[in-house]
Amino acid sequence: MEDAYARSITEVLDFFGVDPGKGLSDSQVALHSKIYGKNVLPEETRTPFWKLVLKQFDDLLVKILIAAAAVSLVLALINGETGLAAFLEPFVILLILAANAAVGVITETNAEKALEELRAYQADIATVLRNGCFSILPATELVPGDIVEVSVGCKVPADMRMIEMLSNQLRVDQAILTGESCSVEKELESTIATNAVYQDKTNIIFSGTVVVVGRARAVVVGVGANTAMGNIRDSMLRTDDEATPLKKKLDEFGTFLAKVIAGICILVWIVNIGHFRDPSHGGFLRGAIHYFKIAVALAVAAIPEGLPAVVTTCLALGTKRMARLNAIVRSLPSVETLGCTTVICSDKTGTLTTNMMSVSKICAVHSVHRGPTIAEYSVSGTSYAPEGMIFGSSGLQIEFPAQLPCLLHIAMCSAVCNESILQYNPDRGIYEKIGESTEVALRVLAEKVGLPGFDSMPSALHMLTKHERASYCNQYWESQFKKVSVLEFSRDRKMMSVLCSRKQTKIMFSKGAPESIVSRCSNILCNDDGSTVPLSVAVRDELESRFHSFAGKETLRCLSLAFKQMPIGQQTLSFEDEKDLTFIGLVGMLDPPREEVRNAMLSCMTAGIRVIVVTGDNKSTAESLCNKIGAFDHLEDFAGRSYTASEFEELPALQQTLALQRMALFTRVEPSHKRMLVEALQHQNEVVAMTGDGVNDAPALKKADIGIAMGSGTAVAKSASDMVLADDNFASIVAAVAEGRAIYNNTKQFIRYMISSNIGEVVCIFVAAVLGIPDTLAPVQLLWVNLVTDGLPAIAIGFNKQDSDVMKVKPRKVNEAVVSGWLFFRYLVIGAYVGLATVAGFVWWFVYSDTGPKLPYKELMNFDSCSTRETTYPCSIFDDRHPSTVSMTVLVVVEMFNALNNLSENQSLLVIPPWSNLWLVASIVLTMLLHILILYVHPLSILFSVTPLSWAEWKVVLYLSFPVIIIDEILKFFSRNSTGLRLGLRFRRPDLLPKRELRDK
């Protein structure tokens, strides 16, 4: 029943045909079960494992690699190759792809856990009226129309419409659903609000929420998927995971690279059509196959096989560093996404605040005889821990608060006129509440005030165990004042009273709304001497002024406390007794902001990141909090910056777009609004981070570019998120953003390094094919270079130090190409040199080496026809392994020097020396040792078609390799100076890599 909140009790009962005194009959239960289904969240259809695996290979570069591996295997078999040589290359390629697929499958499997965790918020049992009798049944058996009774501590088993109040009031904690910091009072009357959100449906108690005060009966109106929790589940199912900015840019780059590779491969094959009939190939078909094999080798050379593995490794290293900052990353790509976050949509309750009500202000009458009349105290401590101090109006700490009469009586009243429980949870290491959060705040205040008569009171309390300390003072007062009778809170009185006996005396303590308590007071307790004096009109006006200041300007939730001496023999209380009270004091409480949030907010602004506070609380409370944390000190007021969900939805489309660009606060929201906000910001090309801790936050966390859950939050929120803040500290997000930016910078560096290296390999094969000289490198040698030589230094580049100004620059644009413009030109120049140096090493051995044949260059170009004409040298010379070994070694060494170039994008090696990244130095040393190993260890040298080199050959390798440092230093010089900037602008438009809109509009 969708509109039960707007219907009267009679209409709802008639709709389901249920008698409130008897409940449903067995036949009605069976019928309703068929119509509405069971009270369980249905199992979602899981993606089959084989589909998850295949999805990981749905990438153009991956498909090209698989095709290259298959073709390589087929050609090897056609040529009669057997054993390890035929299978090594395809096997290694497939091994890499399998490893990357495994990481992807694990990540996607984790994402489905959020939906499973949602079931934990369903109640297990319910007290149900059927056939005129109450019985306790499994909550899964509930059907719409069932009459259910709920009381304090009950988890609500389904969405239900209130029909009967069995106590003075019913209050429900629905923070996990709406994010409200205080419990919500429920009522029987129907709601007339249009476009009602969950907060407006005050006659509905929602599935998964918890009753904290009172007892009532309600009729079930929604079960399973048709509940508020079911709506959250559906919203999560409708949410598709967004690809991260880096993933999108790599995909674009992959598509671009695939087209270039295909073009070059076809070009190389076509250029050599004239050589297909060369006698050395043994026929046209074999010649075509030979050059097709060269084209495949070119594809292998062009594709950075190690790139996905290196990106994954670098992000994994970043997650370890972020874990030390209390940011636990659940999804690797989100590390990089943090770096380009432009908007953080922060949940208020539990994220910017502690989600623990605490007393922050106390107001009492100091004296009516001498000024000042009113004494105001502030209280420190922002959690349920009984740790904090009380300060006077001058800001000085009150060392022994219990020695002041008003504070002492406030502690007594807070402890005795209270039905909540404060306890220590050793498993979680925190103090927890049972009952109403405002009452627990009073219990914590009583602990902070302490007990009278002990000069060593504060230090003595510190000697207790945490379990004993939780309620030590409260238990003392409860043992002193034995409860005799209780008048529960009611909406008309707006107060609660408790009759207690102590040492042959009777005393009544009362607490309630200030206007209710003060109007019933005729006396006041003075704080200077403990005397009781009549309450004058002037003092009453002063108290009302302070109350309006607390409630209005500071938006504190206020309670007044009072007491009254009662006749010795009295055993019960009546409403008539609640008059002629003695006023004790006024307390103001709030869900306090976290102390470190202010600086974190300022850091976000410096880094160009906008913060939007999103909450289910009302507008004034949220605006007050934003003023307290100093997040919006730069705003004169909230006009045009603060909207409720209803106000925003009523705006025309154009004004909504403008409002999104200026919004700083979004209030009275429910789960669907949070998800809508994320989507709207994403349509404006913002990169959105969403923080939250409740079940209500899960759909938005899943939809956001990066979802950030609190460590103390619900399991649902954590499972739907990309990152979890272990310390619940908003400030940790700022540290994580800085780390994300540094990781992206390093990622760009090693991507450029690998691309320039691969360009070198392509140039090497292409130039050799165009010149008509023998193959400079075998496919297995290319694979070794791509995996080992490129891979280890690329990973080490991920350890480059973070720039000092990383959080002083604006977020990068999401459509910023990973490699574009002037930088692409730079690495094209470097790549061209790498390729030409590799070919030069090959030609040098044939033409100039003392140990080589010293052939004329023309003979080298006509090696194909060697067997058909007379020569002064044996044709077997072209099968010698020395030239390809020199080429491979030049390629390895030149790439090691190129790795040093990537310590910084623009800074010279004279400014940032190699030893600034010892990991890179170590990777270069290890790579060279591995290369020497395959050169000088016999089985490996045969496998990789290489041979040991002489010292003379090593010197030539070094001569050909070192100039890459000089070339890049010149290019860096231009980058740092105006000439480089002009060239940069010239090359930046149009980008050499494709650009496309990030999201379909």
Side-chain angles (χ1 to χ4, degrees):
M1 190 174 185
E2 296 290 333
D3 60 346
Y5 64 90
R7 304 279 191 95
S8 68
I9 294 172
T10 305
E11 285 179 298
V12 175
L13 294 173
D14 289 345
F15 180 87
F16 292 111
V18 60
D19 181 344
K22 293 182 179 180
L24 295 176
S25 64
D26 291 339
S27 59
Q28 285 179 303
V29 170
L31 177 62
H32 288 194
S33 183
K34 284 181 181 178
I35 296 172
Y36 302 107
K38 283 199 163 191
N39 186 29
V40 292
L41 292 178
E43 291 273 354
E44 59 282 351
T45 306
R46 290 198 172 201
T47 308
F49 181 77
W50 63 271
K51 280 191 177 180
L52 283 178
V53 173
L54 285 181
K55 184 180 175 184
Q56 311 311 314
F57 294 94
D58 187 19
D59 180 87
L60 197 54
L61 282 183
V62 170
K63 290 173 184 175
I64 292 174
L65 268 178
I66 293 172
V71 171
S72 176
L73 179 61
V74 170
L75 292 178
L77 295 175
I78 289 173
N79 288 340
E81 294 178 31
T82 56
L84 190 60
F87 296 99
L88 179 67
E89 184 180 336
F91 175 74
V92 173
I93 291 174
L94 293 175
L95 194 65
I96 296 164
L97 297 177
N100 282 305
V103 172
V105 169
I106 291 167
T107 302
E108 295 207 25
T109 305
N110 283 340
E112 293 186 345
K113 288 183 180 176
L115 294 165
E116 295 173 13
E117 298 284 3
L118 201 57
R119 293 194 183 88
Y121 290 88
Q122 292 181 288
D124 296 323
I125 57 173
T127 304
V128 189
L129 177 64
R130 284 183 184 172
N131 301 309
C133 297
F134 274 103
S135 57
I136 297 175
L137 298 175
T140 55
E141 293 183 13
L142 286 182
V143 296
D146 265 326
I147 305 297
V148 178
E149 189 170 300
V150 293
S151 57
V152 176
C154 281
K155 188 182 286 185
V156 179
D159 282 8
M160 302 191 290
R161 167 70 158 90
M162 297 274 291
I163 60 169
E164 185 181 357
M165 199 78 74
L166 302 176
S167 59
N168 290 324
Q169 64 167 338
L170 185 87
R171 298 189 72 88
V172 178
D173 181 353
Q174 53 187 44
I176 64 163
L177 184 66
T178 61
E180 292 165 287
S181 54
C182 297
S183 62
V184 179
E185 185 175 354
K186 296 297 179 178
E187 56 190 23
L188 301 177
E189 290 77 21
S190 57
T191 305
I192 57 172
T194 54
N195 298 323
V197 295
Y198 290 144
Q199 293 92 324
D200 297 326
K201 298 174 183 177
T202 52
N203 54 22
I204 302 288
I205 48 179
F206 298 102
S207 172
T209 59
V210 179
V211 178
V212 293
V213 173
R215 182 167 155 254
R217 284 181 191 165
V219 60
V220 175
V221 294
V223 296
N226 296 317
T227 61
M229 285 293 171
N231 290 338
I232 290 174
R233 170 193 169 275
D234 292 342
S235 182
M236 290 170 71
L237 282 174
R238 289 194 302 269
T239 301
D240 296 322
D241 291 330
E242 289 283 331
T244 67
L246 179 61
K247 176 72 167 65
K248 290 174 182 176
K249 299 317 293 181
L250 288 179
D251 286 347
E252 289 177 25
F253 174 68
T255 304
F256 168 75
L257 190 60
K259 292 173 182 176
V260 173
I261 291 166
I264 292 175
C265 289
I266 293 168
L267 185 63
V268 167
W269 200 66
I270 291 173
V271 163
N272 285 286
I273 284 178
H275 295 285
F276 286 5
R277 297 185 183 278
D278 287 349
S280 60
H281 301 313
F284 183 86
L285 184 60
R286 285 192 171 274
I289 291 173
H290 173 78
Y291 286 103
F292 184 62
K293 193 170 182 180
I294 290 176
V296 171
L298 192 63
V300 173
I303 298 173
E305 291 96 334
L307 183 58
V310 172
V311 170
T312 301
T313 305
C314 185
L315 294 179
L317 293 171
T319 64
K320 288 191 70 175
R321 289 199 293 272
M322 291 172 77
R324 290 196 289 270
L325 302 171
N326 291 310
I328 300 160
V329 176
R330 299 184 66 255
S331 169
L332 284 182
S334 62
V335 175
E336 173 273 331
T337 310
L338 273 170
C340 57
T341 298
T342 58
V343 177
I344 297 176
C345 295
S346 176
D347 187 40
K348 179 184 79 72
T349 307
T351 306
L352 300 178
T353 68
T354 63
N355 196 20
M356 299 179 187
M357 291 293 284
S358 66
V359 174
S360 63
K361 288 286 181 72
I362 300 173
C363 174
V365 176
H366 179 69
S367 172
V368 294
H369 305 297
R370 55 184 182 275
T373 305
I374 302 295
E376 195 172 294
Y377 302 92
S378 58
V379 185
S380 68
T382 57
S383 70
Y384 291 142
E387 300 158 2
M389 293 168 285
I390 298 175
F391 300 88
S393 54
S394 61
L396 296 176
Q397 180 188 343
I398 309 294
E399 287 200 35
F400 304 108
Q403 292 181 0
L404 297 173
C406 284
L407 293 183
L408 177 63
H409 280 75
I410 285 173
M412 291 178 188
C413 185
S414 296
V416 178
C417 192
N418 201 314
E419 294 183 334
S420 66
I421 298 172
L422 176 64
Q423 62 187 18
Y424 180 71
N425 184 334
D427 295 331
R428 297 182 62 192
I430 59 171
Y431 290 90
E432 293 180 332
K433 71 178 177 83
I434 297 176
E436 181 64 52
S437 56
T438 52
E439 292 201 328
V440 177
L442 292 176
R443 286 216 179 273
V444 175
L445 175 63
E447 297 296 329
K448 291 176 181 177
V449 171
L451 301 175
F454 302 98
D455 289 343
S456 61
M457 188 70 228
S459 57
L461 287 175
H462 290 316
M463 295 173 68
L464 299 171
T465 65
K466 289 187 175 182
H467 179 73
E468 293 172 325
R469 179 69 187 93
S471 297
Y472 186 83
C473 299
N474 280 275
Q475 287 171 357
Y476 172 81
W477 292 123
E478 286 176 333
S479 67
Q480 292 290 309
F481 295 92
K482 300 295 184 183
K483 286 186 185 179
V484 177
S485 180
V486 177
L487 272 181
E488 288 188 353
F489 182 94
S490 64
R491 187 178 304 173
D492 54 341
R493 290 163 42 247
K494 293 184 179 177
M495 63 183 292
M496 169 190 179
S497 298
V498 176
L499 177 64
C500 302
S501 65
R502 185 193 188 198
K503 297 178 181 178
Q504 308 303 315
T505 63
K506 292 288 174 68
I507 186 170
M508 181 181 73
F509 288 107
S510 300
K511 74 165 191 276
E515 62 272 20
S516 296
I517 294 291
V518 174
S519 65
R520 289 174 165 82
C521 288
S522 56
N523 301 296
I524 52 172
L525 180 69
C526 293
N527 204 31
D528 61 342
D529 57 5
S531 61
T532 299
V533 297
L535 176 58
S536 65
V537 174
V539 174
R540 190 186 297 272
D541 291 343
E542 179 67 21
L543 287 174
E544 287 181 359
S545 172
R546 291 300 173 103
F547 160 60
H548 290 303
S549 173
F550 279 12
K553 185 179 177 182
E554 300 185 50
T555 62
L556 299 178
R557 185 167 186 182
C558 296
L559 287 176
S560 286
L561 308 174
F563 75 98
K564 178 183 178 181
Q565 294 290 341
M566 303 296 286
I568 294 176
Q570 186 161 341
Q571 296 296 316
T572 59
L573 283 178
S574 67
F575 297 150
E576 293 299 316
D577 293 320
E578 293 179 325
K579 62 182 180 182
D580 297 327
L581 306 179
T582 299
F583 180 83
I584 304 173
L586 172 74
V587 297
M589 57 186 75
L590 78 163
D591 180 10
R594 295 180 181 276
E595 295 173 359
E596 59 282 341
V597 163
R598 184 187 183 94
N599 289 336
M601 286 278 194
L602 294 174
S603 296
C604 285
M605 292 176 198
T606 306
I609 300 169
R610 186 157 61 103
V611 179
I612 300 176
V613 179
V614 184
T615 177
D617 264 347
N618 64 60
K619 199 172 184 178
S620 60
T621 303
E623 287 181 357
S624 172
L625 174 92
C626 290
N627 286 325
K628 283 187 174 69
I629 61 179
F632 305 107
D633 288 348
H634 61 293
L635 304 180
E636 291 182 10
D637 58 51
F638 281 98
R641 307 270 185 172
S642 174
Y643 296 89
T644 64
S646 300
E647 288 171 351
F648 182 78
E649 286 182 324
E650 289 168 5
L651 292 175
L654 180 60
Q655 284 185 276
Q656 281 189 354
T657 302
L658 295 173
L660 280 170
Q661 295 169 357
R662 303 181 72 239
M663 185 184 287
L665 185 59
F666 198 38
T667 54
R668 300 297 283 176
V669 299
E670 56 183 41
S672 60
H673 293 131
K674 293 185 178 184
R675 188 173 181 275
M676 175 270 293
L677 176 65
V678 171
E679 287 179 338
L681 289 167
Q682 286 174 336
H683 279 303
Q684 293 191 355
N685 278 354
E686 302 280 10
V687 178
V688 184
M690 173 77 190
T691 73
D693 60 352
V695 172
N696 59 317
D697 299 317
L701 289 174
K702 196 163 184 281
K703 179 64 182 173
D705 294 286
I706 174 162
I708 306 172
M710 300 298 113
S712 64
T714 61
V716 178
K718 291 177 189 175
S719 296
S721 67
D722 300 298
M723 192 173 87
V724 178
L725 295 183
D727 58 354
D728 287 12
N729 193 337
F730 183 86
S732 296
I733 298 174
V734 180
V737 168
E739 190 62 44
R741 290 184 173 190
I743 288 168
Y744 180 76
N745 290 340
N746 290 341
T747 302
K748 281 202 301 184
Q749 287 300 98
F750 70 63
I751 287 174
R752 290 176 190 142
Y753 163 69
M754 296 186 84
I755 289 171
S756 61
S757 299
N758 282 69
I759 288 172
E761 294 166 19
V762 170
V763 168
C764 165
I765 293 173
F766 184 74
V767 169
V770 170
L771 295 178
I773 62 176
D775 300 342
T776 51
L777 296 167
V780 72
Q781 293 172 336
L782 281 171
L783 197 63
W784 171 262
V785 171
N786 278 355
L787 290 181
V788 180
T789 311
D790 289 357
L792 291 176
I795 292 170
I797 287 170
F799 287 95
N800 284 350
K801 290 184 178 177
Q802 191 181 106
D803 292 340
S804 57
D805 63 344
V806 73
M807 285 299 284
K808 294 178 183 175
V809 296
K810 302 298 179 189
R812 72 178 189 279
K813 295 280 191 293
V814 289
N815 57 356
E816 175 190 300
V818 178
V819 182
S820 63
W822 164 247
L823 282 171
F824 190 85
F825 171 77
R826 275 175 55 180
Y827 288 95
L828 203 61
V829 171
I830 295 295
Y833 179 79
V834 169
L836 292 173
T838 306
V839 174
F842 186 86
V843 173
W844 169 83
W845 189 85
F846 276 107
V847 180
Y848 300 109
S849 174
D850 292 334
T851 57
K854 292 195 174 181
L855 299 177
Y857 181 69
K858 191 174 181 181
E859 287 291 316
L860 184 61
M861 289 182 66
N862 295 313
F863 78 100
D864 304 62
S865 57
C866 176
S867 59
T868 63
R869 56 192 172 84
E870 287 188 13
T871 59
T872 57
Y873 55 88
C875 292
S876 61
I877 194 70
F878 297 112
D879 295 325
D880 195 300
R881 287 184 290 167
H882 272 91
S884 64
T885 304
V886 171
S887 285
M888 184 183 178
T889 306
V890 167
L891 185 58
V892 169
V893 175
V894 78
E895 289 186 6
M896 294 305 97
F897 284 127
N898 190 30
L900 293 176
N901 288 333
N902 286 276
L903 281 165
S904 172
E905 187 174 305
N906 294 316
Q907 289 299 323
S908 168
L909 279 172
L910 299 175
V911 176
I912 301 179
W915 51 88
S916 66
N917 186 344
L918 292 177
W919 286 103
L920 182 58
V921 175
S923 71
I924 291 172
V925 171
L926 179 58
T927 301
M928 289 309 302
L929 287 175
L930 288 172
H931 185 68
I932 290 168
L933 192 69
I934 68 166
L935 291 186
Y936 295 97
V937 175
H938 186 64
L940 293 175
S941 63
I942 293 173
L943 179 65
F944 289 98
S945 301
V946 292
T947 190
L949 297 181
S950 65
W951 173 239
E953 290 166 334
W954 272 106
K955 282 197 290 185
V956 171
V957 167
L958 292 171
Y959 288 146
L960 289 171
S961 303
F962 186 75
V964 77
I965 295 274
I966 298 168
I967 293 170
D968 202 53
E969 285 293 315
I970 294 169
L971 292 170
K972 284 180 178 179
F973 174 79
F974 281 121
S975 290
R976 293 192 300 271
N977 293 278
S978 57
T979 309
L981 291 176
R982 283 200 298 273
L983 279 170
L985 291 171
R986 188 181 305 162
F987 276 95
R988 194 165 291 137
R989 295 287 185 269
D991 282 341
L992 293 178
L993 295 184
K995 268 192 176 182
R996 60 176 171 79
E997 285 302 311
L998 217 66
R999 296 176 179 86
D1000 295 325
K1001 294 280 179 105

